[in-house]
Amino acid sequence: MAAITEAPEHSNHDVVIVGGAMMGSFTAWLLTESPDLDGGVLVVERDTTCEACSTARTDSCMHQQFSEGLNVRFGKFAAEFVNDFWYCLGGDERVPEILLRSRGCMHLADTEGFADVLRAILAVQRAAGAGTVLMTVDEIKADHPFRNVDDIVPGSINTVDEGYWDGPTVFDWLRRNVRERDVEYVENEVAAMTRPGGRIESVTLHSGDVAARGRVVNASGPRASRTAGMAALDVPVEPRKRFSRIFFAERPLERDLPLTVDPTGVHVRENGGGTHLAGGCPDHEPAVDCDDFTMDRTLWQDLVGPTLAARIPRFEAIKVTSEWAGHCACNTLDQNAIMGPHPEVGSFIFLNGFSGHGLRQSPAMGRGTAEWLTCGEYGALDLALFNCERIVKNAPIVERAVI
């Protein structure tokens, strides 16, 4: 296994990936899977513990209920990968079995306008292979009698490959597998890029080492705009905070709770061992510093806690066991992925702006990026819709089901 060092062993690489969390590591792993890879791969990660990265502070939800068909397919592909994780990593007996706990995901609509959205996007989801169905209020009450749904019109739910999974463990074994394939990981930061005209000529690290003269993949999560700026490029991505809490209910529920998305945006799901995980975000989300992980407990007091207690009265009395703040890399244009080469700088590849969906989109996005790097085109799925040209043209993708 290649050691994690501060300086790269080699000075020339075909691909330099800036960011070694899930998205960067998935891309590196899929590059090593390709027989068309020509040259070495270097992954530059500022903190190889990844303790503060979005991957480590995720809610690990698996979700397919979107209005854009490709977003639905990303969730399906991720579920297939997780279900076949041991096989995908070569049947290595060291690799643990990763279970996708398909508890389901339910969206609740409290207005006819919101209900019309759920009805309209249902056809898109079904066409893309999702198992989404609509439920009446009476059906929801029968299935989940502990809910208060008197203000709800219908709900949508999918119990096929939607739920949650152990994302951090998948990441740990994926990165380990990549290093065993001699991909170089360095704990360092990119300090500068040399860009004469339409190509990246070199990447210089804070240590002074010149990392490569190949192509650069921007997989730096909430720091995406800083990385792009070193190449004199812009990308509308900024860090936004997400807050999560795990708790026990004094009066436990008698059945598993699917991920439930309230009309307010507050979400809660069963977490295993009698615990539940809940979170939410304020209506106004300011950008934050990349190193700011301060908890906002007023959000729980004013929004999340009261919403949970009103929706599931048994959650009026709970005991919080852990809490954390994490960052999502918010695409301020349309909250959808930004990928592919810049139209003016073809050797700079974007892999950014996943707006809280990066963990489950990483298998499909990593695959698409690896295909582009090795073959110059997308293969299994045509991902051109998400190419960064739309950012340059200010042409947003309308996704009607952003959590």
Side-chain angles (χ1 to χ4, degrees):
M1 180 188 296
I4 296 177
T5 59
E6 179 183 351
E9 181 180 350
H10 307 287
S11 60
N12 226 3
H13 298 84
D14 183 55
V15 179
V16 177
I17 300 174
V18 185
M22 185 66 110
M23 202 64 69
S25 291
F26 232 120
T27 302
W29 182 76
L30 286 157
L31 282 171
T32 66
E33 288 279 290
S34 173
D36 299 312
L37 177 64
D38 181 20
V41 178
L42 174 69
V43 179
V44 182
E45 169 55 51
R46 61 189 302 274
D47 176 14
T48 54
T49 69
C50 291
E51 291 178 347
C53 71
S54 300
T55 297
R57 294 174 181 242
T58 176
D59 289 354
S60 289
C61 295
M62 190 67 76
H63 185 52
Q64 299 172 22
Q65 293 182 62
F66 295 96
S67 67
E68 168 51 54
L70 274 177
N71 281 333
V72 180
R73 290 183 171 89
F74 295 157
K76 285 185 63 62
F77 183 70
E80 292 168 3
F81 180 83
V82 171
N83 286 331
D84 294 334
F85 184 65
W86 179 81
Y87 175 79
C88 290
L89 264 66
D92 188 334
E93 62 182 11
R94 299 171 301 165
V95 176
E97 182 181 11
I98 303 296
L99 297 177
L100 171 54
R101 291 174 168 80
S102 298
R103 306 291 192 251
C105 176
M106 173 176 283
H107 289 256
L108 299 175
D110 60 348
T111 67
E112 281 298 334
F114 193 173
D116 287 342
V117 170
L118 293 184
R119 296 182 186 110
I121 66 179
L122 176 65
V124 174
Q125 294 164 16
R126 302 284 291 191
T132 313
V133 297
L134 291 181
M135 295 183 71
T136 66
V137 171
D138 288 341
E139 289 170 334
I140 296 172
K141 287 180 177 179
D143 263 15
H144 306 94
F146 47 77
R147 294 182 195 269
N148 174 11
V149 289
D150 291 340
D151 61 328
I152 296 303
V153 187
S156 67
I157 190 168
N158 178 14
T159 57
V160 181
D161 289 339
E162 281 201 346
Y164 67 98
W165 53 300
D166 189 352
T169 295
V170 169
F171 165 61
D172 181 60
W173 279 97
L174 193 70
R175 182 171 62 168
R176 184 181 304 192
N177 192 259
V178 173
R179 290 173 56 207
E180 288 176 348
R181 298 179 181 192
D182 293 327
V183 168
E184 282 197 76
Y185 274 74
V186 294
E187 187 167 72
N188 213 314
E189 278 192 86
V190 175
M193 298 184 194
T194 303
R195 178 198 142 187
R199 64 188 179 89
I200 304 297
E201 184 178 77
S202 65
V203 176
T204 303
L205 306 184
H206 275 187
S207 59
D209 298 279
V210 177
R213 299 176 182 272
R215 292 167 291 177
V216 174
V217 177
N218 183 359
S220 47
R223 300 173 185 268
S225 62
R226 295 185 183 183
T227 302
M230 295 178 195
L233 300 173
D234 295 318
V235 63
V237 175
E238 60 187 31
R240 301 277 183 87
K241 277 189 185 179
R242 293 289 188 270
F243 303 97
S244 300
R245 277 186 167 184
I246 293 177
F247 62 89
F248 282 98
E250 185 177 292
R251 297 171 56 214
L253 305 181
E254 60 269 10
R255 59 159 295 176
D256 291 331
L257 179 69
L259 172 66
T260 302
V261 184
D262 191 79
T264 61
V266 171
H267 57 273
V268 61
R269 66 164 170 82
E270 184 266 338
N271 192 58
T275 65
H276 296 86
L277 183 150
C281 55
D283 290 335
H284 173 64
E285 287 188 285
V288 298
D289 186 89
C290 288
D291 297 314
D292 178 8
F293 293 95
T294 307
M295 285 293 294
D296 180 2
R297 293 181 176 84
T298 61
L299 179 67
W300 183 275
Q301 296 165 6
D302 297 343
L303 174 64
V304 180
T307 300
L308 292 179
R311 185 64 61 203
I312 302 176
R314 294 193 197 183
F315 288 167
E316 290 179 348
I318 63 172
K319 179 181 179 181
V320 176
T321 59
S322 62
E323 63 181 13
W324 66 89
H327 290 165
C328 80
C330 182
N331 171 1
T332 58
L333 177 67
D334 60 18
Q335 298 185 62
N336 280 288
I338 304 168
M339 63 185 308
H342 191 277
E344 297 173 6
V345 187
S347 60
F348 191 95
I349 315 298
F350 289 93
L351 193 56
N352 306 115
F354 299 99
S355 304
H357 304 295
L359 190 69
R360 61 184 162 272
Q361 290 187 345
S362 58
M365 291 298 176
R367 179 178 63 174
T369 302
E371 289 169 344
W372 185 274
L373 288 166
T374 55
C375 302
E377 60 183 1
Y378 298 120
L381 287 174
D382 184 358
L383 305 181
L385 177 68
F386 295 97
N387 276 357
C388 67
E389 283 92 341
R390 82 178 194 281
I391 306 299
V392 177
K393 296 176 182 178
N394 193 32
I397 298 169
V398 177
E399 171 54 70
R400 304 171 73 187
V402 173
I403 298 179

